[in-house]
């Protein structure tokens, strides 16, 4: 019998916002938060898909501004903690201040997996304000366990209460998850979380592997609703963890209404795994790039698999759409 407690962090209203091109409405945020709170979800993350302060022509304009989204969610999160995702440089310090004033409980400060030092100032500041703060390493497949530990150690020294690894490309397999999560668990002595994407159909399996390797916080979304082929399905991970005997504040049976509500009122397209999602996953490309790569390969009339290979060799990270254009153009002109 497992006696470990697993914290469920529901990012349907943040990662799911990618799937809606950041067009979540006030009503959807309010209704979902109320139901998720009743269902016993520990943390409800809310905001633009790319995080606080990201609403822009570059990242996509959100329907509802950050302050309004967070204020609505704050009112409905009675027992659940309210969380935000923040990438320094995408969002500004003043936006963190605004989130603190509204009463956000959980601050997740993120960077590309090799650039953890850019998060330190924000982590230190939030920690001093007495809030819970996590360091988040995005695109974690692009660094080995030793490098992730170095970045995570820096975040811990800055004051992080925990570290979350994001498999932003849905590239990882359970063996990789095991090695990376257990390295962090064995060496850091703070909460370790895991955030999966389902490009290779492994999000639930990888999340289970993360828990078995010592992670105690799992990100999940209702019906797997998120960027690209989506995330770890909340209902499925809770059902499996329950069967394994892990302790959680929510139960599968509490999620049935939430799942039906989201399917009928929020989810425009239940995520599936298209060939393009597998292609970006195999090549370790940010899962949110799938639709864009498909469009550009068609606009330039180039082979999509070859384009993905070129992008992988450029070690593309998030927010580098210009390189997709550049490589498609070169491929069309047969420039190596
Ligand atoms: C900004 C990204 O959408 C964060 C995330 O969920 C991921 O990298 O995965």
């Amino acid at each position: 019998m497992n006696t470990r407690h697993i914290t469920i962090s529901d990012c349907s209203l943040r990662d799911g916002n990618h799937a809606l091109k950041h067009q979540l409405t006030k009503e959807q945020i309010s209704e979902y938060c109320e139901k998720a709170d009743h269902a016993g979800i520990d943390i409800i993350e809310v905001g633009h898909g790319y995080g606080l302060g990201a609403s822009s022509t570059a990242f996509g304009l959100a329907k509802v501004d950050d302050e309004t989204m967070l204020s609505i969610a704050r009112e409905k999160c009675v027992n659940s903690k309210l969380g935000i995702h923040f990438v320094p440089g995408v969002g500004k310090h003043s936006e963190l201040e605004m989130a603190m004033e509204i009463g956000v409980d959980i601050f997740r400060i993120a960077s590309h997996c090799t650039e953890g030092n850019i998060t330190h100032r924000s982590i230190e500041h939030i920690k001093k304000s007495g809030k819970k703060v996590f360091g988040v390493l995005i695109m974690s497949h692009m660094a080995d366990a030793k490098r992730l530990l170095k970045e995570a150690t820096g975040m811990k020294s800055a004051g992080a209460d925990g570290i979350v690894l994001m498999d932003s490309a849905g590239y990882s397999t359970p063996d990789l998850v095991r090695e990376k999560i257990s390295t962090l668990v064995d060496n850091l002595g703070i909460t370790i979380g895991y955030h999966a994407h389902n490009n290779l159909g492994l999000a639930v399996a990888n999340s289970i592997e993360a828990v078995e390797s010592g992670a105690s916080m799992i990100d999940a979304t209702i019906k797997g609703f998120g960027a690209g082929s989506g995330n770890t399905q909340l209902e499925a991970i809770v059902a499996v963890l329950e069967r394994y005997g892990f302790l959680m504040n929510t139960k599968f049976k509490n999620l049935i209404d939430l799942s039906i509500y989201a399917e009928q009122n929020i989810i425009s397209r239940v995520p599936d795994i298209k060939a393009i999602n597998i292609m970006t996953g195999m090549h370790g490309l940010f899962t949110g790039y799938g639709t864009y790569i498909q469009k550009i390969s068609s606009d330039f009339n180039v082979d999509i698999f070859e384009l993905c290979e070129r992008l992988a060799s450029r070690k593309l990270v998030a927010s580098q759409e210009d390189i997709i254009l550049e490589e498609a153009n070169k491929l069309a002109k047969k420039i190596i």
Side-chain angles (χ1 to χ4, degrees), residues 14-15 18 49-50 85 138 166 168 195 197 286:
R14 201 274 305 160
D15 215 316
H18 278 296
Y50 286 101
H85 178 84
I138 294 179
M166 287 196 165
S168 316
H195 172 104
H197 278 278
F286 176 56

Side-chain angles (χ1 to χ4, degrees), residues 267-325:
I267 299 176
S268 45
R269 177 185 69 79
V270 175
D272 61 351
I273 307 175
K274 299 197 180 346
I276 179 64
N277 303 125
I278 300 176
M279 262 186 281
T280 55
M282 281 172 70
H283 289 94
L285 301 168
F286 176 56
T287 188
Y289 280 155
T291 318
Y292 190 63
I293 291 175
Q294 203 156 20
K295 178 184 180 311
I296 295 301
S297 71
S298 147
D299 290 354
F300 283 77
N301 196 22
V302 293
D303 182 80
I304 193 165
F305 194 83
E306 223 179 307
L307 178 58
C308 286
E309 281 179 325
R310 278 177 175 248
L311 298 174
S313 72
R314 297 277 309 262
K315 298 204 185 311
L316 208 62
V317 300
S319 318
Q320 288 190 305
E321 279 83 353
D322 51 328
I323 296 184
I324 302 176
L325 274 176

Side-chain angles (χ1 to χ4, degrees), residues 15-310:
D15 215 316
N17 220 345
H18 278 296
L20 290 173
K21 296 194 166 44
H22 321 290
Q23 298 304 298
L24 268 175
T25 66
K26 294 183 207 173
E27 294 70 30
Q28 288 168 328
I29 294 168
S30 172
E31 289 165 6
Y32 187 87
C33 285
E34 187 166 21
K35 287 178 189 301
D37 185 84
H38 285 160
I41 297 293
D42 299 294
I43 303 169
I44 305 175
E45 194 173 87
V46 177
H48 186 286
Y50 286 101
L52 199 59
S55 180
S56 60
T57 43
F59 290 105
L61 285 167
K63 189 177 191 83
V64 182
D65 64 79
D66 287 329
E67 197 167 347
T68 308
M69 281 196 265
L70 294 177
S71 304
I72 292 171
R74 178 67 282 162
E75 216 175 281
K76 300 294 176 181
C77 290
V78 179
N79 298 306
S80 304
K81 304 275 185 223
L82 173 60
I84 52 110
H85 178 84
F86 179 80
V87 183
V90 172
K92 297 190 295 292
H93 192 79
S94 55
E95 285 148 345
L96 274 183
E97 295 292 337
M98 174 275 288
M100 281 196 245
E101 261 167 48
I102 287 176
V104 167
D105 305 292
I106 308 283
F107 290 77
R108 304 202 347 171
I109 312 299
S111 74
H112 182 68
C113 61
T114 54
E115 314 302 317
N117 54 337
I118 70 158
T119 65
H120 294 180
R121 197 171 142 246
S122 307
I123 292 175
E124 277 161 17
H125 178 68
I126 294 159
K127 188 69 181 182
K128 272 194 207 126
S129 316
K131 298 279 187 179
K132 266 251 184 274
V133 57
F134 289 85
V136 176
L137 293 167
I138 294 179
M139 300 286 279
S140 62
H141 70 287
M142 294 181 88
D144 62 16
K146 199 170 153 209
R147 179 61 189 262
L148 292 172
L149 177 61
K150 179 171 176 277
E151 301 295 332
T153 303
M155 288 168 151
K156 179 184 169 186
S157 304
D161 296 296
I163 302 293
V164 180
L165 287 191
M166 287 196 165
D167 183 25
S168 316
Y171 171 91
S172 299
T173 45
D175 53 323
L176 293 171
V177 175
R178 189 179 325 125
E179 191 197 354
K180 292 177 179 181
I181 293 290
S182 55
T183 299
L184 300 191
V185 169
D186 294 347
N187 290 285
L188 288 176
I190 52 176
T191 300
I192 302 301
Y194 191 69
H195 172 104
H197 278 278
N198 203 30
N199 295 65
L200 302 181
L202 290 170
V204 172
N206 283 344
S207 302
I208 298 291
E209 190 63 49
V211 169
E212 298 277 21
S213 305
S216 55
M217 182 163 71
I218 289 297
D219 283 11
T221 61
I222 202 82
K223 294 199 73 96
F225 189 52
S229 50
N231 301 81
T232 300
Q233 184 171 354
L234 177 60
E235 307 89 310
I237 187 75
V238 168
V240 179
L241 291 176
E242 217 171 281
R243 185 188 285 181
Y244 281 5
F246 287 99
L247 306 175
M248 288 170 290
N249 287 333
T250 190
K251 299 265 170 292
F252 169 73
K253 71 175 168 51
N254 300 344
L255 301 175
I256 298 169
D257 280 353
L258 189 65
S259 179
I260 294 169
Y261 165 78
E263 182 157 16
Q264 292 177 349
N265 297 282
I266 299 184
I267 299 176
S268 45
R269 177 185 69 79
V270 175
D272 61 351
I273 307 175
K274 299 197 180 346
I276 179 64
N277 303 125
I278 300 176
M279 262 186 281
T280 55
M282 281 172 70
H283 289 94
L285 301 168
F286 176 56
T287 188
Y289 280 155
T291 318
Y292 190 63
I293 291 175
Q294 203 156 20
K295 178 184 180 311
I296 295 301
S297 71
S298 147
D299 290 354
F300 283 77
N301 196 22
V302 293
D303 182 80
I304 193 165
F305 194 83
E306 223 179 307
L307 178 58
C308 286
E309 281 179 325
R310 278 177 175 248

